[in-house]
Amino acid sequence: MGRNADAIAEGEAIAVSAARLELKNRILVTTIAADANFDTDRFMPQAREVVERLAVESEQAAEALRRLRKRAWGRHSQSHGTHDYRDKDVRNLRRRAKQSIGVAKRLRELLDDTDRMRGVIEKARDAAWQDVRSNIDRRLNIEAMRPDEDPDYDRMREARMQALRLVDLQSLASQMRAKKKAAGADGDDPDGESPDGGAEEGGRG
């Protein structure tokens, strides 16, 4: 019983870790890349979708193990491969099926616990920001290095210049366009000091 409980707990931990990884990638794409504000509740439907899918996968694994167990029952001939099970494997297959069902049950309990689901999302957010911080640190270390200290400077210079042209400058241009668009929208704000938009912009502090 103790071994089964440990296996179920480990299976749940692996599944939750996989859910956090998928959510982390979604957060990177939909929040950080899109420069949007993070909202835990906004990602709740996605988190539930991921955990639900993992629970279903665990239930399907249990069903597949049941079929293998039935097929192995009463077969005593020589096995011809890793998944060519025999009667001696029936007990192990039954135990693995129970463990898969146990993992699915734990995941469905997680789905019903809003606070725990929020915790999964927040840990995924922390992992996403850690990726961003690590990437910034790497870029700062590369950019701060003097050419004579970098043995690969000449070889990588062209790649860096290409990245500057294709990524950084395009990103900067996109940000400038967004700022101009936002500035134009602010000019139409009835609460602004100047009703005609940019007429007084040059005189602002």
Side-chain angles (χ1 to χ4, degrees):
M1 185 64 184
R3 260 194 328 183
N4 273 344
D6 289 344
I8 290 170
E10 182 180 358
E12 179 191 13
I14 291 171
V16 172
S17 178
R20 283 199 303 264
L21 177 61
E22 183 166 341
L23 287 170
K24 180 198 78 170
N25 293 334
R26 293 192 185 194
I27 289 169
L28 284 169
V29 171
T30 61
T31 300
I32 297 173
D35 195 24
N37 292 329
F38 177 83
D39 181 0
T40 300
D41 290 336
R42 174 186 176 190
F43 285 92
M44 186 63 73
Q46 298 183 52
R48 291 190 184 281
E49 172 201 330
V50 172
V51 175
E52 169 73 21
R53 189 183 71 243
L54 291 168
V56 170
E57 288 176 0
S58 193
E59 290 164 348
Q60 291 173 340
E63 182 59 33
L65 288 164
R66 288 195 195 98
R67 290 195 297 268
L68 289 171
R69 189 188 74 216
K70 289 180 180 179
R71 192 181 308 162
W73 183 270
R75 299 179 69 186
H76 299 281
S77 58
Q78 183 67 32
S79 176
H80 297 293
T82 304
H83 301 293
D84 187 21
Y85 296 106
R86 293 296 182 265
D87 192 84
K88 63 181 180 180
D89 302 309
V90 166
R91 184 177 179 181
N92 183 47
L93 291 169
R94 182 185 294 112
R95 182 171 62 250
R96 288 169 56 191
K98 286 183 178 179
Q99 291 168 357
S100 292
I101 287 296
V103 171
K105 182 181 177 182
R106 293 279 192 90
L107 292 175
R108 294 199 178 280
E109 289 172 355
L110 172 61
L111 282 169
D112 292 334
D113 191 329
T114 302
D115 289 339
R116 288 181 62 203
M117 287 295 295
R118 284 199 179 101
V120 172
I121 297 168
E122 288 165 3
K123 287 182 179 179
R125 175 202 59 192
D126 292 343
W129 282 112
Q130 183 58 47
D131 276 9
V132 172
R133 285 194 295 267
S134 297
N135 185 56
I136 291 172
D137 287 343
R138 284 194 300 270
R139 294 188 64 178
L140 287 175
N141 287 334
I142 291 173
E143 290 169 4
M145 184 178 291
R146 287 167 38 193
D148 58 347
E149 294 176 343
D150 184 359
D152 296 323
Y153 179 80
D154 291 334
R155 182 170 62 85
M156 297 301 297
R157 182 176 183 278
E158 181 56 34
R160 285 194 293 267
M161 294 303 296
Q162 185 176 8
L164 174 66
R165 289 192 298 269
L166 298 181
V167 179
D168 294 340
L169 292 181
Q170 289 186 18
S171 176
L172 179 61
S174 177
Q175 291 177 24
M176 293 301 294
R177 285 195 297 270
K179 286 181 180 179
K180 288 180 180 179
K181 184 177 180 181
D186 289 343
D188 295 332
D189 187 351
D191 295 331
E193 295 180 0
S194 174
D196 57 351
E200 296 181 9
E201 185 174 352
R204 293 176 184 171

